[in-house]
Amino acid sequence: MRVPSRVVLIALAYLALACSADRGSSGSVTTGTAIDRVTAGLRPGSVVKGRPVPLFQLAERMQHYHVPGVSIAVVDSGRIAWARGFGVKEVGTTDSVTAATLFQAASISKPVAATAMLQLVEEGRLDLDTPVNRYLTSWQVPENAFTAREPVTLRRIVSHSAGLTVHGFPGYAAGEPLPSVPQILDGEPPANTPPVRVDTLPGAISRYSGGGVTVEQLVLTDVTGEPFPALMKHLVLDPAGMTRSTYEQPLPVHRRGEEAAGYRVDGARVEGRWHTYPEMAAAGLWTTPTDLLKWAMAVAAARDGASDALLSPEMASQMLTPQKADFGLGPGLGGSGSGFHFGHGGANEGFRCQLIYFPETGQGAAVMTNGDGGSELAQEILLAVASEYGWSDYLPREKE
């Protein structure tokens, strides 16, 4: 019997979308006009001024971007309005994505990890402005002429202004040896990225650095003596109610099957289904859109003094205050007034995702995809959600 071609398998995946699109996390059939309008109202990031906004169906855009599966959760009026999965976890199967399906959060791992660091600051075990080498015992940031003038601090690390190198990480394919965190930071085999070093004056510029966040990860484990996944579970995931989430890398065997497989931009599956990220604080969170929104709502509630499950009002306010460029203490920030929002994007091998939350209005959404083409798709979905729920400051760019 001839094995179906990739094209046929992908077509079957999108056919499955019709079955999974109206099933919630429990698998029960639900209806909702808001969901229908969102999934039929995807729109481009740029539109021509004075012309009608072109609208797309979710299924057709998934096929266009070669994204087999999507999970979406929406918050309105400070509560989860809906969460839904679309498509399949893996091409060639009928295993539908649900609201409970795990995706790699990629760089959205960073602001969630920063929450744990800020808790340790509140406990007095860390300080935002103390040189990190005073906390590091298993490795040290190499000193040079730049660090002699200005120190590398946790405040600068989480606001991407510490002068540290290495933008991001490709992870490790199935079967590849995994480096320790010090090996990653020194670029020693089997690490597959360059050494993390200070090559510009700390505090001088804003430059995104996953390498810096990996230094932060080592600070947390050196100071507490705990494995990073366990530390994150009891400091952040459990208090925020993120019951589906874990920083364990690779995903534990007993949880295999809960996750989506990652796909390349041409529709080819990532070898081994997904990569492993020992750079856990920077890229290692497995989660769902609902859990990401639980974290965002908990941070917003802390800032407003409505909950102390994660942070004090003062620390949450600092977290959501610009430090350098558009970064707070972990999250990316934007807008003003009722349009003020925080969140982050993420891009791991075979996974793309977006999180945005408006604390002044109690609105937001998270979109997670299992395809390298998912960045553009997630943006089109968020624009549809913005239109449906009246995010007045979140609109397509108009061009003449």
Side-chain angles (χ1 to χ4, degrees):
M1 178 178 174
R2 185 182 178 187
V3 177
S5 68
R6 183 183 300 155
V7 173
V8 173
L9 291 175
I10 290 174
L12 290 172
Y14 298 115
L15 180 62
L17 178 62
C19 299
S20 65
D22 52 2
R23 293 185 181 273
S25 59
S26 66
S28 60
V29 177
T30 59
T31 59
T33 56
I35 300 175
D36 295 337
R37 287 192 293 269
V38 167
T39 57
L42 276 65
R43 58 204 67 203
S46 298
V47 297
V48 178
K49 188 175 182 179
R51 295 185 184 177
V53 176
L55 302 180
F56 311 113
Q57 295 282 341
L58 175 59
E60 68 176 303
R61 299 309 276 172
M62 289 173 66
Q63 187 169 10
H64 174 77
Y65 290 118
H66 298 293
V67 175
V70 175
S71 187
I72 306 169
V74 174
V75 168
D76 194 43
S77 301
R79 62 178 182 82
I80 302 289
W82 55 272
R84 188 70 59 84
F86 304 86
V88 292
K89 298 177 184 176
E90 187 167 357
V91 173
T93 75
T94 57
D95 194 1
S96 299
V97 171
T98 73
T101 299
L102 294 177
F103 290 78
Q104 289 190 348
S107 288
I108 302 178
S109 306
K110 293 178 174 70
V112 180
T115 315
M117 182 273 290
L118 295 176
Q119 286 192 18
L120 295 179
V121 171
E122 294 209 87
E123 293 175 9
R125 302 176 72 178
L126 294 172
D127 180 81
L128 284 170
D129 301 307
T130 295
V132 293
N133 276 348
R134 296 187 187 177
Y135 301 117
L136 289 164
T137 57
S138 59
W139 179 85
Q140 291 271 290
V141 176
E143 302 286 357
N144 59 24
F146 296 117
T147 61
R149 293 173 58 192
E150 288 289 342
V152 173
T153 66
L154 289 168
R155 183 187 302 277
R156 287 170 171 168
I157 283 174
V158 296
S159 61
H160 298 285
S161 59
L164 288 161
T165 59
V166 183
H167 180 91
F169 301 99
Y172 296 83
E176 290 185 339
L178 300 178
S180 66
V181 174
Q183 285 176 322
I184 293 167
L185 295 173
D186 279 334
E188 294 180 351
N192 58 11
T193 48
V196 177
R197 297 290 185 263
V198 177
D199 71 349
T200 190
L201 189 68
I205 63 171
S206 175
R207 185 181 64 189
Y208 193 84
S209 174
V213 175
T214 307
V215 174
E216 174 199 357
Q217 176 181 330
L218 194 61
V219 168
L220 267 60
T221 56
D222 277 357
V223 166
T224 65
E226 290 188 67
F228 191 74
L231 184 70
M232 290 304 305
K233 178 174 170 57
H234 76 77
L235 286 182
V236 180
L237 304 183
D238 286 349
M242 300 172 69
T243 57
R244 300 288 302 163
S245 303
T246 182
Y247 272 88
E248 294 170 287
Q249 288 285 334
L251 189 68
V253 173
H254 71 275
R255 299 200 65 178
R256 304 286 171 86
E258 299 177 30
E259 85 284 12
Y263 284 83
R264 303 295 186 183
V265 72
D266 63 355
R269 195 186 73 177
V270 170
E271 184 179 354
R273 304 185 77 244
W274 33 262
H275 282 190
T276 296
Y277 291 83
E279 308 91 354
M280 300 172 195
L285 178 62
W286 284 97
T287 189
T288 68
T290 297
D291 273 10
L292 289 178
L293 288 172
K294 287 179 179 179
W295 168 81
M297 288 189 289
V299 170
R303 188 199 67 160
D304 295 340
S307 171
D308 60 358
L310 289 184
L311 299 169
S312 68
E314 294 77 19
M315 187 59 75
S317 294
Q318 280 198 63
M319 188 183 204
L320 301 182
T321 298
Q323 305 292 315
K324 193 74 172 181
D326 295 328
F327 282 102
L329 296 177
L333 308 175
S336 60
S338 62
F340 169 70
H341 57 269
F342 67 92
H344 216 283
N348 274 6
E349 300 292 308
F351 295 89
R352 299 291 189 273
C353 46
Q354 288 286 340
L355 167 69
I356 185 169
Y357 192 75
F358 296 83
E360 304 298 338
T361 62
Q363 294 177 301
V367 179
M368 307 192 79
T369 77
N370 62 339
D372 283 339
S375 294
E376 293 83 357
L377 177 62
Q379 179 63 13
E380 293 178 6
I381 293 169
L382 287 177
L383 287 167
V385 173
S387 176
E388 174 64 26
Y389 289 91
W391 302 355
S392 58
D393 291 343
Y394 202 87
L395 302 168
R397 296 181 301 274
E398 284 192 333
K399 297 184 176 181
E400 294 292 341

